[in-house]
Amino acid sequence: MKKSLGAKTLAFPTPVWLVGTYDKDGKANIMTAAWAAICCSSPPSVAVSLRKATYSYGNIVARQAFTINVPNENQVREADYAGIASGKNEDKFARTGFTPVKSELVDAPYVAECPLILECRVSHTLEIGLHTQFVGEILDVKADPQVLGEGGLPDIDKVKPIIFGPEIRAYHGIGRYLGQAFAVGKDI
Ligand SMILES: Cc1cc2nc3c(=O)[nH]c(=O)nc-3n(C[C@H](O)[C@H](O)[C@H](O)COP(=O)(O)O)c2cc1C
């Protein structure tokens, strides 16, 4: 018999992504987001949900653009910090030592030190409740050459993304390879 845990945001894992935006003065900011996922294949899109109280929310509404920066597990302290401090009163790029790079495609900065970047233009805004979901069309993905595997796509073992456990508030690295998708289930 399963035990009921109540209505909670409890499903494992979520990503730990840094949302890059510019404020009204052009100051670059990052905030950590776990309520986020790829949400459409064509046009390639990603969804991220922000509370209106975040500084980043107003930045996205004003600029209609953001970047998704995938930190690696060596950047877990910086990622946590970006989810505690606010760009309202801190320069998170200066504090972390991260370098903001102006995207040439969208009106948002990305983090030079993160291995994988998505440059996004807002295509939909959905009021859900406490969080507003921004769907961003992915105009380009940029990856450090060192994290590319055979075939030119990012290798998850080289990117080393962080995963997050909601409610238990825990960060983990990724686990071992289990098999090829659209293949291992064929023999059932
Ligand atoms: C692991 C983690 C995940 C988070 N996920 C979200 C999220 O998905 N949406 C959100 O609105 N805030 C989220 N937060 C909180 C924001 O990152 C936090 O409020 C931050 O200070 C906002 O920064 P800003 O005011 O500079 O925009 C998360 C924080 C942490 C530590």
Side-chain angles (χ1 to χ4, degrees), residues 161-182:
I162 305 162
I163 57 178
F164 178 67
E167 301 291 339
I168 61 167
R169 296 189 162 193
Y171 298 115
H172 285 255
I174 54 155
R176 67 190 169 84
Y177 175 77
L178 299 178
Q180 208 56 31
F182 303 100

Side-chain angles (χ1 to χ4, degrees), residues 79-150:
D80 193 54
Y81 165 77
I84 300 168
S86 176
K88 275 175 206 150
N89 37 47
E90 290 198 39
D91 182 338
K92 291 193 247 184
F93 273 95
R95 288 289 295 269
T96 54
F98 281 161
T99 312
V101 180
K102 186 172 172 28
S103 165
E104 289 178 2
L105 298 174
V106 299
D107 191 8
Y110 62 84
V111 181
E113 290 79 6
C114 287
L116 191 60
I117 312 295
L118 280 55
E119 295 165 286
C120 307
R121 182 176 56 205
V122 173
S123 59
H124 300 78
T125 301
L126 176 65
E127 298 294 342
I128 301 175
L130 180 62
H131 287 72
T132 301
Q133 185 177 54
F134 294 103
V135 175
E137 181 177 349
I138 301 165
L139 300 190
D140 193 27
V141 177
K142 291 185 167 58
D144 284 342
Q146 309 91 274
V147 302
L148 298 181
E150 285 169 29

Side-chain angles (χ1 to χ4, degrees), residues 14-19 21 29-36 48-59 79-90 92 130-132 164-165 169-171:
T14 71
V16 174
W17 289 345
L18 302 177
V19 179
T21 56
N29 189 45
I30 42 171
M31 76 157 254
T32 309
W35 293 177
V48 58
S49 295
L50 273 68
R51 283 169 299 114
K52 289 189 169 68
T54 64
Y55 197 49
S56 304
Y57 170 88
N59 294 351
D80 193 54
Y81 165 77
I84 300 168
S86 176
K88 275 175 206 150
N89 37 47
E90 290 198 39
K92 291 193 247 184
L130 180 62
H131 287 72
T132 301
F164 178 67
R169 296 189 162 193
Y171 298 115

